[in-house]
Amino acid sequence: MDGISDLAFFSLLVKRGSLAAAAQELGVTPPSVSKRLAGIEARLRVRLLNRTTRRISLTPEGEIYLADGARLVAELEALEQRISGGNVTAKGLLKISATFGFGRRHITPQLSAFARLYPEVDVQLHLTDRPVNLVEQGFDADIRFGQIPDARLTARKIADNRRLVCASPAYLKNHGIPLTPRDLQKHNCILLRESDEIYGSWQFSSGMKHETVKVRGSLSANDGECATAWALDGQGIVIRSEWDVAPYLRSGRLRAVLEEWQLPQADIYIVFPTKNHLSAKTRALVDFMLKAFESHRADRGKTIW
């Protein structure tokens, strides 16, 4: 069973991202972590990690050891779960990524409730508007918007969502209301530099019609809340998710335009690596999030951001 223990240790080391962080998690000194890693590499006769004092990176052999090792640990946990009647406790480090805005407003409070429900799980939340590689970066789950193209990942929709084109009534009064996507080229558009979307290219569809419009504007940001604030201040037209602007649409501070046109899919998913057996902690998180957001899915109730 020493091999299983080593696999769990190596997985924790990769997730923590450095020898010092892993040592802090385990309550030991960094030299002892380094010594144990060296012992595993000596036993396997391969180098698993490239490491400096500040960061580590997987070698090709390390990637195999991490991926297949995680599968073996999960299978062992699944075996114990079947034998014990499904009563395996969710525990250990759970590393999750989410976008800045949705993560702050909606995932953070849910994770607080999750932590109370599962006190043996250590939750680590990483907020970013850049795509993450769950396997290489050691994440257990990611909260994502839109389509999930990677077949190696499993996605469960936690909430319905759509993107909307909107502006303040003051801006529309001064500059007119766009009636077609092409009209946006005459307007000041507030741009976002995030994800892998083509900067300044807005895509629309209506039935069989599809249009890609190259827009321009004097203001751009890599944070959605900044873009929303500028739209509220009458600076221009912006594309934002329904969950972000619904309160302002209800209050009249923003107004949706081009409502007969659809923008790319923006439903919200919890994504995790495809495995035959999920760990108890990841399964608990997925089930918790599906339950927490069930009123925001059309199949379970009305979306009420």
Side-chain angles (χ1 to χ4, degrees), residues 52 72 198 224 261 294-295 301:
T52 66
L72 291 172
I198 299 174
W261 291 84
E294 66 177 352
S295 64

Side-chain angles (χ1 to χ4, degrees), residues 225-301:
E225 293 189 17
C226 294
T228 302
W230 286 330
L232 289 167
D233 199 35
Q235 292 287 351
I237 296 176
V238 71
I239 290 179
R240 295 300 295 135
S241 289
E242 182 180 17
W243 66 265
D244 185 51
V245 297
Y248 305 120
L249 294 170
R250 287 194 295 266
S251 68
R253 295 186 64 192
L254 290 177
R255 177 179 169 185
V257 298
L258 299 174
E259 293 184 87
E260 67 276 17
W261 291 84
Q262 287 77 50
L263 292 153
Q265 180 183 342
D267 289 335
I268 304 165
Y269 295 84
I270 183 168
V271 184
F272 45 94
T274 299
K275 298 176 181 176
N276 291 331
H277 302 288
L278 274 183
S279 66
K281 61 187 178 182
T282 303
R283 184 182 299 108
L285 176 69
V286 173
D287 290 343
F288 180 88
M289 288 298 177
L290 288 171
K291 179 68 175 178
F293 290 96
E294 66 177 352
S295 64
H296 303 296
R297 297 191 299 275
D299 59 336
R300 301 293 298 171

Side-chain angles (χ1 to χ4, degrees), residues 51-261:
R51 48 201 183 269
T52 66
T53 55
R54 292 192 175 183
R55 61 176 298 178
I56 57 177
S57 62
L58 289 164
T59 65
E61 293 79 9
E63 290 181 0
I64 296 172
Y65 189 67
L66 177 65
D68 290 353
R71 175 181 56 79
L72 291 172
V73 172
E75 288 177 353
L76 177 61
E77 185 179 75
L79 173 62
E80 293 179 346
Q81 187 171 3
R82 289 199 302 272
I83 293 173
S84 65
N87 294 320
V88 173
T89 302
K91 59 183 177 180
L93 176 64
L94 187 64
K95 192 174 177 183
I96 307 156
S97 67
T99 59
F100 283 111
F102 193 79
R104 289 191 192 108
R105 293 188 182 183
H106 300 286
I107 298 302
T108 297
Q110 294 300 341
L111 288 179
S112 182
F114 178 83
R116 289 192 179 94
L117 194 60
Y118 296 96
E120 293 188 55
V121 176
D122 295 326
V123 178
Q124 185 180 101
L125 177 62
H126 177 73
L127 297 181
T128 177
D129 279 325
R130 303 299 302 172
V132 298
N133 186 309
L134 271 69
V135 176
E136 290 183 6
Q137 295 176 253
F139 285 101
D140 296 289
D142 182 26
I143 308 299
R144 296 191 184 182
F145 287 68
Q147 296 180 343
I148 312 300
D150 195 332
R152 297 172 301 173
L153 303 177
T154 299
R156 297 290 302 275
K157 185 167 75 169
I158 62 173
D160 296 329
N161 184 47
R162 55 181 177 150
R163 293 185 173 102
L164 302 172
V165 184
C166 50
S168 71
Y171 176 86
L172 296 174
K173 181 179 179 181
N174 292 331
H175 301 277
I177 299 172
L179 301 178
T180 70
R182 294 289 169 188
D183 290 343
L184 292 171
Q185 294 177 325
K186 306 172 186 175
H187 285 267
N188 193 49
C189 295
I190 300 169
L191 305 178
L192 275 175
R193 297 177 180 269
E194 61 180 4
S195 300
D196 284 334
E197 297 179 2
I198 299 174
Y199 177 70
S201 291
W202 291 1
Q203 300 178 43
F204 297 86
S205 62
S206 180
M208 298 299 293
K209 295 187 293 184
H210 301 275
E211 290 195 29
T212 298
V213 181
K214 185 67 175 177
V215 299
R216 292 180 174 80
S218 58
L219 290 171
S220 65
N222 67 341
D223 180 75
E225 293 189 17
C226 294
T228 302
W230 286 330
L232 289 167
D233 199 35
Q235 292 287 351
I237 296 176
V238 71
I239 290 179
R240 295 300 295 135
S241 289
E242 182 180 17
W243 66 265
D244 185 51
V245 297
Y248 305 120
L249 294 170
R250 287 194 295 266
S251 68
R253 295 186 64 192
L254 290 177
R255 177 179 169 185
V257 298
L258 299 174
E259 293 184 87
E260 67 276 17
W261 291 84

